[in-house]
Amino acid sequence: MNLHLKRSLALATLAVASVTGCAKDATAPEVLPQTLATVQAGVDMVTTGQVKIVGTCAGSVPLNCPGGTLAGPAYVTLTRTADSVALVTGQDYYYFSATMSAVSSGIPITVPLVGACTLTIDTSPGASPTITLTGNVQFASGTLNGPIDRLDFSNIAVTGFETADVSITGSVSCAAASFGASFYILQLQDMFAQAASLCSAPGPTLLEPCPLVPVTSSRREQD
């Protein structure tokens, strides 16, 4: 092989290596921009569209657990009418508030001394057709001292929910059952808490639900 051909092959090899080395790993999580727009995108995911209710077979009132077996997720459809997101002055987290209506399909519920019933949420019949969700949002990393690639929600609270916003159907005894507004508010807060961490997504998508694996969070100072 002459010198000229060897040199040409070497240059071609370097060119391929250079392109390969600069190629983006399409499966790797991306660093999240620490901006208000990123936080707003996360709040949008939590407060619009459909949110899952996984339910539980534990406790005195099993939810979404017909016959003692956890069913597939039930969904609550959220229609947001107002929201606000702002950085808390002097702190490294954002505060958000979202007003929305909520409607669910029938969710299996086991009522003590009654048995199997169906719970349905619809915020329109009450004195106010909406509920309000508030909480804090903070940038975090999935590994200690790792890149910022996650949004964590905390201090989630639901206000404005009334007993008129829920119905329990089935037998006559089901229709007479009631647990008070605080019980249903806790169920809603648990529902929103299930989406309490959003991770950066590869490719053009900014955020996605975090994998269901333990992660070590490290808080970062806001720039």
Side-chain angles (χ1 to χ4, degrees):
M1 185 181 294
N2 62 41
L3 180 61
H4 178 72
L5 181 57
K6 287 182 178 180
R7 183 175 299 171
S8 297
L9 289 173
L11 290 173
T13 301
L14 287 173
V16 171
S18 176
V19 171
T20 304
C22 294
K24 180 181 175 182
D25 183 357
T27 63
E30 299 177 1
V31 176
L32 286 176
Q34 295 183 64
T35 64
L36 178 63
T38 300
V39 177
Q40 182 68 64
V43 171
D44 290 346
M45 288 183 64
V46 173
T47 62
T48 60
Q50 290 190 318
V51 178
K52 289 192 298 186
I53 290 184
V54 175
T56 177
C57 293
S60 59
V61 187
L63 184 70
N64 200 34
C65 184
T69 301
L70 193 64
Y75 290 89
V76 177
T77 300
L78 306 175
T79 303
R80 195 175 65 196
T81 56
D83 75 297
S84 62
V85 181
L87 177 65
V88 178
T89 303
Q91 303 296 322
D92 62 345
Y93 66 89
Y94 292 76
Y95 174 82
F96 78 92
S97 174
T99 302
M100 68 198 83
S101 63
V103 178
S104 77
S105 56
I107 304 168
I109 185 172
T110 305
V111 178
L113 305 179
V114 174
C117 302
T118 300
L119 181 148
T120 304
I121 295 170
D122 184 351
T123 56
S124 61
S128 170
T130 59
I131 57 175
T132 298
L133 178 71
T134 59
N136 300 334
V137 188
Q138 189 172 42
F139 287 98
S141 63
T143 56
L144 187 62
N145 298 322
I148 297 298
D149 59 4
R150 200 172 81 236
L151 280 181
D152 285 344
F153 289 73
S154 61
N155 296 330
I156 292 175
V158 174
T159 56
F161 192 86
E162 309 163 65
T163 53
D165 296 335
V166 67
S167 63
I168 300 178
T169 57
S171 66
V172 173
S173 297
C174 288
S178 177
F179 301 101
S182 60
F183 170 81
Y184 305 115
I185 289 172
L186 286 175
Q187 302 307 315
L188 287 171
Q189 289 178 173
D190 286 346
M191 175 189 77
F192 287 113
Q194 290 166 9
S197 287
L198 300 174
C199 288
S200 63
T205 303
L206 181 64
L207 293 162
E208 64 184 2
C210 290
L212 297 178
V213 294
V215 293
T216 302
S217 174
S218 65
R219 298 178 60 174
R220 293 296 187 92
E221 293 296 325
Q222 192 70 29
D223 292 337

